[in-house]
Amino acid sequence: VIVADDASTDTSWDVILDWLQRDSRLRALRNKRNGGKSVAMNRAIAIARGRWLAVLDADDWFHPERLRALVAVGERRQVDLVADNQLFYDTIANTVVGSAWPAGPTDWDLTFDDFLFGSNAYETFNLGMLKPILRAEFTRASGLSYDEKARHGQDFLYLLQFYLLGGKAAVSDGPYYFYTQPFGALSHQWSHAARRRYDFQTAYEINKSYVEMASGSVTPTQLRRLKARNHQLQILEHYYSAKDLFDRGEKLASVLNVIRHPLMVGYAARRLLKRYAGVESLQAAAYVAGRSRRRSQENPVCVPGVVQ
C-alpha cells in the first residue's frame, strides 16, 4: 500500500508515520504543497511495484475481496483495465443508498464507444466515474498518467486517455467499491465542510482541449459523443452559476444569467421532473451494463482451464 499525503494540514502524516513503523508493506510519500489528486496519484504510481495498480480515493473504501475479484476478471479476459460497480455511501446519513447499476456476478468488456455513451455528465453516476485497476505494464509502456492540470474530472480524463492509447477494458457487475457521495442523496448535505461544488468551467476547458486533440484519431460517432459531454459540462456550469447567484439573493443577476444561457432551462426541467414528479429515466451507465452483459453472454470468454 502506498499512501500519498497531499500536504495535509491535520494529523494525517503523524498517523501515516505510526503505521509505517508497524507494517513493512506500507510505503508513503508527502507533497510539500497541495497539488491535487492527479499530482499525488502520478507520484504514487511512479514508485509502485505491483503487476496491477489500484487507486483508492481518500474518502472511499474497498470491499475486502475487491482486488482478488477484479484481478481474476482482468487475467481471464486478458484486458489492461478492470473496473467494478459501486455502492454509494451518504456520510451524513451513515448508510449505503444504492449501487451505480443493478449488481450481479457477471462481467463484460467495455468498449470505447460504450464508455463515451455511458459518460453522460448530466447523470448522478456516469462511466467517467469508474474506479479502475490497471496493468502496471500497460501504464508504463503507454505513458498513461493523470492530467495534472485537472482538479476535477480526473477519472474521466484518465479513462479517456486510456482508450486513446489503445487500452482494452472490462467491468464487473459486482459492487466492490464504496464511493462516498460529495453531496448525500438522503441527507442532502455535503459530506465534509470543505466540500465545494464541482468546477464545471475548468472541466469544460480541459475537456475541450482533449476533444481538439482527439478529433483526428477517433470516429465521427466518438467525436460527437465527446463534444456532447463537453456541451453538457458547459450547461452545468451555467446552471450552477445561476443557482449560486439565486442562493446569495442576487435574483436579477440569476435571471440575466438564464436569459444569456437559455439551454440550461432544459437541464433544470429535467431535474425538476426527477425530483418532484418522480420521473426516472434509465441511466446511460445502466443501459450500457445491460447491453454489454447480454453481448458477453452471447459471446462468452473461454479461457483454457477456466470453468465458465
Side-chain angles (χ1 to χ4, degrees):
V1 175
I2 300 171
V3 181
D5 184 309
D6 195 21
S8 63
T9 57
D10 55 14
T11 60
S12 291
W13 187 244
D14 294 331
V15 174
I16 293 165
L17 289 176
D18 179 54
W19 273 102
L20 284 172
Q21 295 173 11
R22 290 193 279 152
D23 197 326
S24 61
R25 298 171 301 174
L26 183 69
R27 289 188 291 161
L29 55 87
R30 191 183 194 189
N31 293 338
K32 292 182 179 179
R33 61 180 65 88
N34 181 273
K37 172 180 172 174
S38 295
V39 172
M41 292 300 185
N42 286 338
R43 287 195 66 199
I45 288 170
I47 64 171
R49 297 190 294 244
R51 266 190 316 125
W52 289 86
L53 303 171
V55 169
L56 176 62
D57 289 346
D59 49 358
D60 301 337
W61 72 96
F62 291 169
H63 185 282
E65 291 297 317
R66 182 178 193 256
L67 299 180
R68 188 196 311 273
L70 297 195
V71 167
V73 172
E75 298 293 1
R76 175 164 52 84
R77 288 191 171 272
Q78 289 298 294
V79 293
D80 309 300
L81 177 154
V82 187
D84 51 348
N85 201 343
Q86 295 179 19
L87 291 169
F88 300 145
Y89 177 71
D90 184 328
T91 299
I92 305 302
N94 190 27
T95 187
V96 171
V97 296
S99 58
W101 65 85
T106 45
D107 52 76
W108 35 273
D109 291 331
L110 178 62
T111 66
F112 187 22
D113 284 281
D114 281 346
F115 166 72
L116 293 176
F117 179 82
S119 296
N120 187 327
Y122 284 166
E123 296 181 345
T124 307
F125 175 87
N126 67 78
L127 295 181
M129 297 164 64
L130 290 173
K131 305 293 186 180
I133 69 167
L134 292 103
R135 287 188 190 272
E137 182 182 7
F138 175 87
T139 63
R140 296 190 175 109
S142 65
L144 177 65
S145 64
Y146 282 88
D147 189 323
E148 297 188 359
K149 300 187 302 295
R151 285 275 185 162
H152 295 282
Q154 306 98 324
D155 294 327
F156 171 78
L157 296 174
Y158 191 65
L159 291 163
L160 175 59
Q161 286 187 70
F162 168 82
Y163 280 107
L164 293 175
L165 291 167
K168 292 174 59 181
V171 175
S172 167
D173 287 321
Y176 299 104
Y177 192 97
F178 290 80
Y179 171 73
T180 298
Q181 296 180 306
F183 192 78
L186 284 182
S187 65
H188 300 294
Q189 296 182 51
W190 293 103
S191 63
H192 189 276
R195 284 283 194 181
R196 295 291 182 271
R197 80 163 175 87
Y198 194 94
D199 182 0
F200 293 106
Q201 183 60 34
T202 300
Y204 162 76
E205 291 166 357
I206 295 175
N207 273 262
K208 185 179 178 182
S209 69
Y210 275 81
V211 171
E212 293 167 353
M213 176 187 70
S215 60
S217 59
V218 298
T219 67
T221 298
Q222 291 166 352
L223 184 61
R224 185 171 67 252
R225 286 176 178 166
L226 279 169
K227 288 182 176 179
R229 177 182 169 87
N230 218 37
H231 178 69
Q232 291 162 359
L233 290 171
Q234 193 173 41
I235 295 299
L236 286 165
E237 178 60 29
H238 295 327
Y239 170 82
Y240 281 101
S241 292
K243 185 176 182 298
D244 290 343
L245 289 168
F246 187 86
D247 291 344
R248 292 200 302 265
E250 301 176 44
K251 296 182 180 179
L252 178 58
S254 178
V255 171
L256 291 174
N257 196 334
V258 174
I259 292 171
R260 284 195 299 270
H261 308 290
L263 290 177
M264 77 171 80
V265 175
Y267 173 70
R270 174 192 176 117
R271 286 177 60 92
L272 287 171
L273 281 171
K274 181 178 178 180
R275 184 169 183 178
Y276 296 109
V279 176
E280 285 281 358
S281 60
L282 180 65
Q283 298 267 307
Y287 175 80
V288 167
R291 182 174 63 184
S292 299
R293 190 184 308 114
R294 290 191 297 273
R295 189 185 300 149
S296 292
Q297 289 168 350
E298 292 166 2
N299 302 286
V301 174
C302 295
V303 180
V306 175
V307 179
Q308 297 295 321

